[in-house]
Amino acid sequence: YKASVLKKTLKSNQLNQQSTKAILTSASTINSDYYLTEVLSAALGKNLTDEMAEQVAASALSIESDYYMTQLLNKLLSNKQLSKNTYQKIITAIDDIGSDYYKASVIQTLVSRSLSTEELRTIIEHTNSMGSDHYLSDVFIRIIKNQNLSSESFQVLMDNTSNIGSDFYLSNVLVAAIDKSDISTEQLQSILQATSKISSDHYITTVLLKAAPKVKVANEATKNQYRKTAKEISSETYYGRAIRAID
């Protein structure tokens, strides 16, 4: 009943910012995740100020259900203009999501927006709590495809690929990075260094062969890094295939 009253009140055009803030504060005492989400979502239908958006993001921490928290955060992220503080509160709320599936859903929505280097670094670092190689690689590939990565952001991403235990999923991320048309020589070397973490001769060779056309026209330092990574291959057949691709 309380949720119905609060939702109805939020639909009033007579509400000012102070009244809306009081309603959101009152909503935090609702025990049901479903009804709390309903009220907070209704608040997002109003002319959302930075302060209101921050309060909704902070209130999301009261929601125990991964499903309802994800619904609310993704709806909040559908607003085009969000403050830096709101982003930070959303990222904090993501840590409270236990399911990698739902966590990935919110992060993928986040990285579909234009983000600063600082925001990207924070998001990438918050992926450390994800245990699923599948969803973690999906998030990293989405970042690679959607973001204009600075040298710093790219290096943070490559450093965090060490959290992917599966050679298959790690190779998918590295191939996606190589596919970027605007990667620098420095970034290409970072990819090659990350490739050395792969244990499988098959997957390390797959990544190297993908990188080979760009390595062939790169500087000697990049070629040396390629050769150094290729030495991690134990199979003579795969090693020879990788080396012939640049020589």
Side-chain angles (χ1 to χ4, degrees), residues 21-37:
K21 184 176 180 180
I23 291 172
L24 292 176
T25 300
S26 178
S28 65
T29 63
I30 298 174
N31 293 324
S32 163
D33 286 340
Y34 170 77
Y35 287 115
L36 175 56
T37 304

Side-chain angles (χ1 to χ4, degrees), residues 97-203:
I97 300 176
S99 159
D100 284 344
Y101 170 78
Y102 288 117
K103 189 171 293 189
S105 173
V106 178
I107 295 175
Q108 286 172 350
T109 304
L110 259 174
V111 301
S112 66
R113 307 168 68 101
S114 178
L115 300 170
S116 68
T117 296
E118 180 184 351
E119 288 165 342
L120 269 175
R121 169 187 280 276
T122 304
I123 290 168
I124 292 168
E125 289 173 348
H126 276 258
T127 63
N128 290 342
S129 60
M130 296 179 69
S132 165
D133 290 336
H134 169 69
Y135 290 119
L136 183 55
S137 64
D138 276 355
V139 166
F140 284 170
I141 290 171
R142 184 71 64 93
I143 291 172
I144 290 166
K145 290 183 176 179
N146 288 5
Q147 296 294 317
N148 183 18
L149 295 169
S150 66
S151 295
E152 179 186 345
S153 298
F154 192 90
Q155 189 57 55
V156 170
L157 182 62
M158 287 298 108
D159 289 344
N160 278 269
T161 59
S162 61
N163 293 322
I164 302 176
S166 160
D167 288 340
F168 170 72
Y169 287 116
L170 176 54
S171 66
N172 284 348
V173 172
L174 298 177
V175 166
I178 294 166
D179 275 338
K180 281 184 75 74
S181 59
D182 58 348
I183 61 168
S184 66
T185 299
E186 181 185 45
Q187 290 170 338
L188 185 56
Q189 288 180 27
S190 293
I191 294 169
L192 294 172
Q193 288 167 2
T195 304
S196 65
K197 302 169 189 172
I198 299 175
S199 301
S200 161
D201 287 347
H202 169 72
Y203 288 119

